[in-house]
Amino acid sequence: MSSEATVRPATATASLRSVPFDALTAGQLDAWHRLRADNPALSSPYFHPGFSAAVHASGRPVQVVVGYDDRDAISAMLPCHRERSLLRPAGWPAADFQGPILAPGTSFPPRKLLTGGVRGYAFDHLLDTCPDFAPWVESRQQSPFVDTTGGLDGYLGRASRSGKDNMGQARRRTAKAERELGAVRFQADVVDEESLRRVVELKRGQYASTGARDYFAEPDRHELLTRLLHTRDTEFGGVLSTLHAGPHLLAAHFGIRSGGVLHWWFPVYDPRFSALSPGWILLRELVVAAPVLGIARIDLGRGDDEYKRRAKTGETVVCQGVVTASGTRKALRHARNSVVAAAKSSPLGPGLRRVVRTLRALNR
């Protein structure tokens, strides 16, 4: 075994070296897998090297900061993008879990990222398991998940009263959809580029109607999803689930999975059928199918959406902030965050949506 592949847990990361993703050696990739396997907190598919590989291949260069201990053994991996003087997590702005890949108890030196002209490392979904980043954390938020162990019966035994009620309503609305629209068909994992195209179309419509930034305005984002759709590795890949009633696509979801974890990434539904709550029907079908698919957890991603609050069985904490040595940058971000928080809580909040989006773009 090469010295690069040697991984020793519970150690200190003494030095960092940056490597383009496609220049990683077999030993470095092996170390990535070993470090992740040693840390159950890194079970999300975002921490699998397959995600960074797909992002890199879709046209957004990924560089990997490789950490070494004082014996020159690999102790950490951090995939990221460089945008001028700023580093961002690989897959940003749609990477719902971020942070260094390292064994439990291993330290990581964030300030050592600030070299070679890099002035900051910005994160918005940093897993709250690496205390070395604490000085730069500006806020923390909950990222809910659904424990699907035991399928629907297991879920109902753990769910809140609201979650149980909504699952019951989803069952009744399934019957209604069948009466009014035709046979209901659920496909848990289908490779279908036309259905994926429809997911992107519906998602862009949702962005437009809510005033949110259009993630798919950049062409490489569709390329990323298409590449993930065709990634069929047993340990990592894209998952496209569809729900039809008669000839109609009621709802669909495109996510990524690794092992027993599915990340709920791009859920959509056809607004024409909103009265049927097709999103809940789709989620219920996925929970039912989870044991057959080998899925034990569905991560719903950070956000205060009502359906997430109702459906969740637990939560993970993710952090927002920026590693920087600049007091000015920190002060500007603090001021920006204060204004954004005030705008969101103001009775005039809806009218300030454009201002909030502009402020969020500052100092990134």
Side-chain angles (χ1 to χ4, degrees):
M1 181 180 297
S2 70
S3 61
E4 286 185 317
T6 302
V7 176
R8 299 180 178 90
T11 187
T13 299
S15 63
L16 303 177
R17 306 169 200 169
S18 183
V19 181
F21 184 88
D22 54 8
L24 290 173
T25 66
Q28 288 169 333
L29 284 170
D30 185 52
W32 187 325
H33 284 291
R34 288 170 178 267
L35 288 167
R36 181 170 178 262
D38 285 343
N39 192 342
L42 303 177
S43 58
S44 167
Y46 288 107
F47 295 115
H48 192 284
F51 178 69
S52 292
V55 172
H56 186 80
S58 71
R60 295 189 67 207
V62 173
Q63 64 182 56
V64 182
V65 177
V66 184
Y68 294 84
D69 65 17
D70 56 7
R71 293 169 291 187
D72 211 33
I74 294 176
S75 58
M77 312 285 282
L78 181 67
C80 50
H81 301 295
R82 179 163 180 174
E83 299 177 356
R84 297 182 294 278
S85 63
L86 186 65
L87 294 181
R88 295 188 187 278
W92 184 90
D96 289 347
F97 285 103
Q98 305 159 1
I101 291 88
L102 38 70
T106 301
S107 66
F108 184 89
R111 286 186 68 96
K112 289 188 178 181
L113 294 169
L114 309 179
T115 186
V118 173
R119 297 183 179 180
Y121 171 71
F123 51 88
D124 54 7
H125 291 77
L126 184 82
L127 202 62
D128 195 18
T129 57
C130 189
D132 300 289
F133 285 86
W136 295 278
V137 171
E138 298 167 357
S139 60
R140 290 176 170 82
Q141 291 182 269
Q142 302 297 327
S143 181
F145 63 82
V146 174
D147 184 344
T148 59
T149 306
L152 184 61
D153 289 341
Y155 168 77
L156 293 176
R158 292 181 290 271
S160 66
R161 184 170 185 174
S162 179
K164 294 175 184 177
D165 289 346
N166 277 273
M167 287 297 184
Q169 292 173 21
R171 176 177 53 80
R172 292 187 289 274
R173 285 169 176 153
T174 300
K176 182 179 180 182
E178 193 138 27
R179 290 193 305 270
E180 297 180 354
L181 302 172
V184 172
R185 306 182 315 282
F186 170 71
Q187 292 179 288
D189 185 6
V190 58
V191 179
D192 181 351
E193 288 195 19
E194 179 57 28
S195 292
L196 181 63
R197 184 198 63 78
R198 181 62 174 149
V199 167
V200 173
E201 181 181 271
L202 287 169
K203 201 66 183 178
R204 297 193 75 178
Q206 179 184 332
Y207 293 144
S209 66
T210 60
R213 178 181 297 177
D214 184 354
Y215 173 77
F216 293 106
E218 301 293 333
D220 65 278
R221 312 290 169 75
H222 198 167
E223 166 64 23
L224 172 60
L225 266 63
T226 302
R227 185 173 294 276
L228 289 168
L229 176 70
H230 292 284
T231 301
R232 312 306 294 170
D233 187 276
T234 55
E235 284 302 311
F236 174 83
V239 178
L240 175 60
S241 303
T242 60
L243 177 74
H244 287 83
H248 308 288
L249 178 68
L250 300 186
H253 166 256
F254 183 79
I256 50 177
R257 73 169 293 180
S258 177
V261 180
L262 171 67
H263 193 88
W264 184 257
W265 203 13
F266 294 107
V268 297
Y269 67 89
D270 190 325
R272 293 178 299 167
F273 306 108
S274 59
L276 292 169
S277 297
W280 273 100
I281 298 176
L282 178 70
L283 181 58
R284 182 181 184 276
E285 293 290 345
L286 267 175
V287 173
V288 170
V292 175
L293 296 173
I295 294 171
R297 189 178 85 231
I298 300 176
D299 283 324
L300 299 178
R302 191 192 81 192
D304 56 0
D305 307 73
E306 184 179 358
Y307 82 89
K308 293 182 181 182
R309 293 197 301 270
R310 292 175 181 272
K312 69 180 181 181
T313 60
E315 298 170 331
T316 302
V317 177
V318 293
C319 308
Q320 300 76 49
V322 60
V323 177
T324 178
S326 169
T328 301
R329 179 183 287 269
K330 289 179 71 173
L332 285 171
R333 285 182 62 92
H334 177 75
R336 182 207 67 175
N337 293 340
S338 298
V339 173
V340 169
K344 290 175 68 175
S345 61
S346 168
L348 301 176
L352 297 173
R353 186 175 293 161
R354 180 177 298 176
V355 175
V356 168
R357 290 202 304 273
T358 301
L359 289 168
R360 280 176 170 165
L362 296 175
N363 305 315
R364 287 187 167 185

